[in-house]
Amino acid sequence: DYVSWNFVGNNGTTTSNSNGSITSITQVNSLAGFSIVQYTGTGSNATVGHSLSSPPEFMIFKNLDDGNEGFPVYHKSLTSAAYILALNNTNAEASTPSDFNSTAPTSTVFSVGTNARTNSNGVRYIAYCWHGVDGFSRFGKYKGSGSNPGPFIYTGFTPSLIIHRGINIASNWRLIDATRNPSNPVTQELYADTTGVEYNMGARGTDFLSAGFKIRQEAGYGMNNSGINYAYMAFASHSFLGDGTSPVTAR
């Protein structure tokens, strides 16, 4: 059995973007707040146009020419733009100003520094960028309570896919979805940072609700340790947007 999570781009249509000091090639789905950005690094502090209408809140980068550089991640809920996470490991957020030049993205560009993960001279890169869209996607953080049930996180829609992990502790990148778990609790986890198979959390899962999600685990099970901040990325099962779209009811 396999699972995939797919984001519609722009049917393969790309455009050149010269908003930044580095010219980029972008493919954009503006309604979904999603863009794919290709650029070639310069080795010097620079900016890159992303072609979205709002500042990206979540970005995944990849050096296309050096497989050892991992997948650096920007998330708006980290301590500052000087910090990164990495999709390929469990490390807590780390201060590495040279990845994003300690500069938060704007509505037109994101910044890159001099680190080989994001901007070596002559090296090709790709970045996947998202910003939140009401009724479709939301990016943020919550604080663990250490008790079961744990916190409720408001998204404004019924989630279809949630990716979440600890910010200030070592933590797996947990991926849970409504396709593998069509009813609550959502218990089947996959980890982006390992090659491990699907893991069943049993009663210590997550409830997908009409306007968000609720953590159903106590401290010691990864996503609800007391006082710990957790970053999340949530996408809707059915968007509230558009003419004739019906409200989504609880599961």
Side-chain angles (χ1 to χ4, degrees), residues 18 27 34 45 48 90 97 103 111 146 151 167 176 194 206 209 218 242:
S18 56
Q27 183 178 162
F34 171 59
N45 293 335
V48 182
T90 63
T103 305
S111 295
I167 293 175
I176 54 177
T194 79
T206 303
L209 305 173
E218 62 269 29

Side-chain angles (χ1 to χ4, degrees), residues 3-90:
V3 65
S4 66
W5 305 278
N6 308 294
F7 296 87
V8 174
N10 191 23
N11 202 32
T13 300
T14 61
T15 58
S16 178
N17 184 311
S18 56
N19 287 334
S21 58
I22 296 175
T23 298
S24 60
I25 303 298
T26 64
Q27 183 178 162
V28 186
N29 183 335
S30 56
L31 287 176
F34 171 59
S35 70
I36 304 170
V37 181
Q38 301 174 68
Y39 65 96
T40 299
T42 62
S44 301
N45 293 335
T47 55
V48 182
H50 51 68
S51 295
L52 295 173
S53 59
S54 298
E57 298 174 291
F58 175 51
M59 300 186 289
I60 302 172
F61 289 75
K62 189 70 182 84
N63 179 323
L64 297 177
D65 296 324
D66 186 346
N68 295 316
E69 294 301 337
F71 289 83
V73 170
Y74 169 88
H75 191 286
K76 71 170 189 177
S77 296
L78 302 186
T79 296
S80 75
Y83 285 74
I84 69 163
L85 293 168
L87 193 64
N88 52 291
N89 66 47
T90 63

Side-chain angles (χ1 to χ4, degrees), residues 44-247:
S44 301
N45 293 335
T47 55
V48 182
H50 51 68
S51 295
L52 295 173
S53 59
S54 298
E57 298 174 291
F58 175 51
M59 300 186 289
I60 302 172
F61 289 75
K62 189 70 182 84
N63 179 323
L64 297 177
D65 296 324
D66 186 346
N68 295 316
E69 294 301 337
F71 289 83
V73 170
Y74 169 88
H75 191 286
K76 71 170 189 177
S77 296
L78 302 186
T79 296
S80 75
Y83 285 74
I84 69 163
L85 293 168
L87 193 64
N88 52 291
N89 66 47
T90 63
N91 297 346
E93 66 170 1
S95 177
T96 57
S98 60
D99 279 275
F100 306 125
N101 195 25
S102 299
T103 305
T106 71
S107 59
T108 55
V109 299
F110 58 76
S111 295
V112 290
T114 58
N115 197 296
R117 287 186 290 262
T118 58
N119 190 24
S120 275
N121 187 37
V123 172
R124 298 173 305 138
Y125 293 88
I126 192 162
Y128 304 97
C129 308
W130 291 264
H131 68 72
V133 174
D134 287 346
F136 173 70
S137 59
R138 192 175 179 95
F139 307 92
K141 67 179 178 181
Y142 66 90
K143 182 165 287 189
S145 67
S147 60
N148 188 357
F152 167 76
I153 297 89
Y154 174 82
T155 61
F157 53 79
T158 300
S160 175
L161 167 66
I162 295 172
I163 308 168
H164 55 168
R165 61 146 295 158
I167 293 175
N168 46 336
I169 59 169
S171 174
N172 291 112
W173 292 83
R174 289 172 160 83
L175 296 95
I176 54 177
D177 63 74
T179 299
R180 289 177 297 139
N181 275 133
S183 59
N184 288 326
V186 176
T187 61
Q188 300 299 120
E189 297 186 337
L190 285 167
Y191 305 138
D193 50 272
T194 79
T195 59
V197 299
E198 191 175 56
Y199 180 74
N200 191 331
M201 288 293 291
R204 298 180 178 91
T206 303
D207 286 345
F208 283 8
L209 305 173
S210 60
F213 60 100
K214 189 169 185 64
I215 307 298
R216 297 284 184 185
Q217 59 179 248
E218 62 269 29
Y221 289 90
M223 298 313 299
N224 191 28
N225 289 327
S226 180
I228 298 300
N229 289 321
Y230 295 88
Y232 72 85
M233 292 64 69
F235 300 91
S237 180
H238 300 284
S239 174
F240 279 107
L241 302 176
D243 258 354
T245 302
S246 300

